Amino acid sequence: MATILVIDDEESIRGLLRDILSKAGYRVLEASDGREGLAAYQKEPVDLVIMDLLMPNTDGLEATLQLTREYVDAKVIAMTGAQGDRNFLDVANLFGARRTFHKPFDMTQLLQAVKEELAAK
């Protein structure tokens, strides 16, 4: 069973993802910000990380960059609801995220992306 770490400061998003991913047969760990997520990954490397980009403390961009630099095999799916001049999702790709989603996201598409990333080497 693959383990997925969900890092998001919104408990409702973490809960939704936990429920959907658990029902799909995945083990789910949670963290409420990038700092907590990095510590969780260092304690127990997981198969996939789903990371919000805008969070307090260590944000998702910084955490994505740190994860992909320290762990070459780290797989990150980034997501954000941010709007405006800066394109956070493009930056997340540059920092090593394999896929990106804008909130609100389509759960079927997200589950398909999770399945594909877990199957990829």
Side-chain angles (χ1 to χ4, degrees), residues 6 10-21 30:
V6 176
E10 293 182 55
E11 176 146 1
S12 61
I13 299 291
R14 287 195 321 270
L16 172 66
L17 290 171
R18 178 186 59 241
D19 292 346
I20 298 294
L21 294 167
E30 298 177 48

Side-chain angles (χ1 to χ4, degrees), residues 80-93:
T80 189
Q83 311 239 345
D85 296 334
R86 294 177 55 194
N87 193 332
F88 292 102
L89 296 176
D90 286 343
V91 174
N93 282 128

Side-chain angles (χ1 to χ4, degrees), residues 25-101:
Y26 302 110
R27 179 173 169 246
V28 180
L29 304 177
E30 298 177 48
S32 61
D33 62 43
R35 183 181 309 151
E36 185 181 313
L38 288 168
Y41 193 96
Q42 290 166 346
K43 181 178 178 184
E44 179 183 347
V46 298
D47 300 295
L48 180 68
V49 175
I50 299 176
M51 175 125 44
D52 185 27
L53 295 179
L54 296 179
M55 298 180 287
N57 300 318
T58 304
D59 70 27
L61 288 173
E62 184 178 336
T64 297
L65 182 60
Q66 189 170 337
L67 265 180
T68 57
R69 278 187 174 171
E70 290 183 30
Y71 303 92
V72 178
D73 295 333
K75 295 179 181 182
V76 177
I77 294 176
M79 59 185 179
T80 189
Q83 311 239 345
D85 296 334
R86 294 177 55 194
N87 193 332
F88 292 102
L89 296 176
D90 286 343
V91 174
N93 282 128
L94 291 172
F95 284 4
R98 293 174 175 243
R99 306 231 183 169
T100 58
F101 285 87

